[in-house]
Amino acid sequence: MDNENMQSLQCEHIDSLQRRYSEAMANHQYDALLIGSGAAPLRYADDQAYPYQGFGPFVHWTGWPQLEHSWLLVQPGAKPRLWVHAADDFWHVGVTLPDEPWLDGLEVELTAEAGAPNLARIGRLAVVGDPACLTGVPGDHNPADLLASLDATRARKTAYEVLCLEQANARAAEGHRAARRAFLAGGSEFEVRLAYQAATRQGEALAPYPSIIGLNGHAGILHYQLADTEPPEVSRSLLIDAGYRYRGYGSDITRTTAAVGQGRFQALVAVVESLQRRLCEAVVPGVDFVDLHRKAHLGLAALLSAADLVRGLDEAAMVAAGITRAFFPHGLGHLLGVQVHDVSGRPSPPPVDAPFLRCTRTLEPGMVVTVEPGLYFIPSLLDPLLGSRWGRHRNLTRAHLP
């Protein structure tokens, strides 16, 4: 990767944000905007903090998701001012400013104070951030209309953001390959997790979200949060949903691997991956993402029929009856950026037949989305289907797969 090109694009990114945020402030009649990074809250009755990720708009500008107690002031026609909290603290590693040209476009001040800067003669001020960190700060706190406009600035990525996301995906892919090797070598969920982190060289606290790594039936728990330290007696399948954070931007990759000897299941995995590639090819400006989600269901219906898992119904009837939703309960995908489920993806509510869909937009140039069709065998979803009038169409002899 050309580091000089990365730095040049980041400077252009900052210039673009200055224009976008200034326009949003003018539209809502604000003279200045103060953005708080946030800070990790302490656990109740404890001196340990919760895992921390910085406030989205602050990370949008700085790329520092772990920076706490810091503030950014944006004003039309003026250099943004950045106060970086750098306490004289022997408990933790101190903050070091990167030697990068994008910081030349900001006025930067290191401060030992954790509170907001004292702003005088600033005009009408909006302050956005974690409400717990804004107590006592003058200005309008988190005005809803302005926040919606700021969120909208993140829907279309700059060239710098796209490059960061490409890097995040490339580095996560290395981890996924290592995780697959660990699984095929007989590793436990915990060992697969360690293999992923070793390959990416990024601890889970710095990753965009906690990795989901499930063997066998655990793969049917969509946000499985545990990690068995011992492998099952027979490992049949691995599902890994894990990402990497690069300069504040996160990837989100999910892959399923069938163990050796699981030919029937491997065939299903191959067909779903083929469906995913076709859906990715359909991601172009002007496409309604809701329509793409429904095409994914039609593709899964064709798979269920071809695999003889559902009998006696055509694809459209399967989708209309809600049968495919029992096998594919989540949405097709979402916007991706400094937050994994990036903001501004749902300008309108999701349709009744896709309640968990996180993107209801017509796609535009610069938008980055995930495409995640799935085929799950989850008893709590399939058993009610069996007891309904559609149960006679489900082929039980083939529905119990790894």
Side-chain angles (χ1 to χ4, degrees), residues 15-36:
D15 290 342
S16 176
L17 295 192
Q18 177 74 15
R19 291 191 299 271
R20 294 181 187 184
Y21 277 56
S22 295
E23 181 180 349
M25 283 186 282
N27 289 340
H28 298 283
Q29 300 180 321
Y30 283 102
D31 301 303
L33 170 66
L34 184 64
I35 305 170

Side-chain angles (χ1 to χ4, degrees), residues 30-33 73-75 81 119-126 138:
Y30 283 102
D31 301 303
L33 170 66
L73 179 68
V74 183
Q75 295 174 276
R81 296 179 64 186
L119 302 176
R121 296 185 298 279
I122 206 75
R124 190 176 182 223
L125 174 67

Side-chain angles (χ1 to χ4, degrees), residues 8 39 62 145 151 155 168 175 207 300 305 340 351 357 382:
S8 175
T62 66
D145 290 345
D151 287 349
L300 286 172
S305 179
V340 177
L357 184 59
L382 295 179

Side-chain angles (χ1 to χ4, degrees), residues 362-397:
T362 297
L363 300 182
E364 302 174 24
M367 290 182 177
V368 177
V369 295
T370 65
V371 179
E372 309 176 58
L375 179 64
Y376 294 85
F377 298 88
I378 304 173
S380 63
L381 298 180
L382 295 179
D383 290 347
L385 181 66
L386 181 63
S388 73
R389 65 191 181 97
W390 304 107
R392 60 190 175 89
H393 295 283
R394 180 180 145 192
N395 183 5
L396 280 173
T397 61

Side-chain angles (χ1 to χ4, degrees), residues 28 30 33 124-128 140-149:
H28 298 283
Y30 283 102
L33 170 66
R124 190 176 182 223
L125 174 67
V127 185
V128 298
D140 296 344
H141 290 191
N142 292 322
D145 290 345
L146 177 61
L147 277 175
S149 294

Side-chain angles (χ1 to χ4, degrees), residues 107-118:
E107 293 184 9
V108 183
E109 178 181 339
L110 296 177
T111 175
E113 301 299 323
N118 184 17

